[in-house]
Amino acid sequence: MPIRTLAVAALALTAAAAEAGNVYKITAKKGDEEVVYNVKFGGGRRFEQFTAFDPVSKKFVYLTWNRGETAPKPAATIWDHRTGETIKLYTFPDVEPPLPAIPAVDAIKVCPMTGDKGFKVEKTIVYD
């Protein structure tokens, strides 16, 4: 088989195996208590999704739209004095104040439920 054909076949397999969305199991400590919950990142074949954490309800929330449509526009922006970045805030369903989208599970440095910095992350489900 020519190398070019192998390269095209490898690219096709890689694209077919690409993951659209993931569910992660988070295990954190709150004193002696273990807290376990799930959080979703990424969209699927038909939709795209932002993930945020609502500190009032203490729940992860999701803003979803159809793939191919324009992504929701930010409701507001704020300037982060620690980094100098401008952070976009989005209106999530059933949440009053706009929230920043969390780009990926790796961006979470402190468990929002417990304050644990040593929490564990395990990918449990891949969806498309």
Side-chain angles (χ1 to χ4, degrees), residues 24-26 28 37-41 51-53 59-62 100-121:
Y24 297 92
K25 180 172 93 171
I26 308 293
Y37 58 91
N38 293 315
V39 61
K40 300 182 289 187
F41 283 93
T51 300
F53 181 76
K59 294 181 181 176
F60 282 92
V61 293
Y62 306 94
I102 306 167
V105 73
D106 296 342
I108 302 172
K109 302 302 180 197
V110 177
C111 172
M113 305 282 193
T114 66
D116 182 3
K117 292 181 181 178
F119 63 95
K120 308 248 184 309
V121 177

Side-chain angles (χ1 to χ4, degrees), residues 4-18:
R4 185 174 186 187
T5 305
L6 287 173
V8 171
L11 180 62
L13 287 173
T14 303

Side-chain angles (χ1 to χ4, degrees), residues 7-112:
V8 171
L11 180 62
L13 287 173
T14 303
E19 299 169 4
N22 297 295
V23 177
Y24 297 92
K25 180 172 93 171
I26 308 293
T27 305
K29 293 283 188 182
K30 186 173 187 176
D32 292 336
E33 179 187 354
E34 186 174 83
V35 176
V36 180
Y37 58 91
N38 293 315
V39 61
K40 300 182 289 187
F41 283 93
R45 186 173 308 200
R46 297 182 184 180
F47 67 97
E48 296 189 54
Q49 178 174 268
F50 288 151
T51 300
F53 181 76
D54 177 23
V56 175
S57 67
K58 300 230 183 267
K59 294 181 181 176
F60 282 92
V61 293
Y62 306 94
L63 177 58
T64 305
W65 67 98
N66 291 327
R67 189 168 294 283
E69 292 182 358
T70 304
K73 293 185 179 174
T77 57
I78 58 171
W79 178 72
D80 185 342
H81 66 281
R82 293 168 292 170
T83 65
E85 294 176 297
T86 300
I87 300 171
K88 296 175 185 176
L89 304 177
Y90 295 91
T91 302
F92 284 79
D94 303 320
V95 178
E96 190 170 326
L99 299 169
I102 306 167
V105 73
D106 296 342
I108 302 172
K109 302 302 180 197
V110 177
C111 172

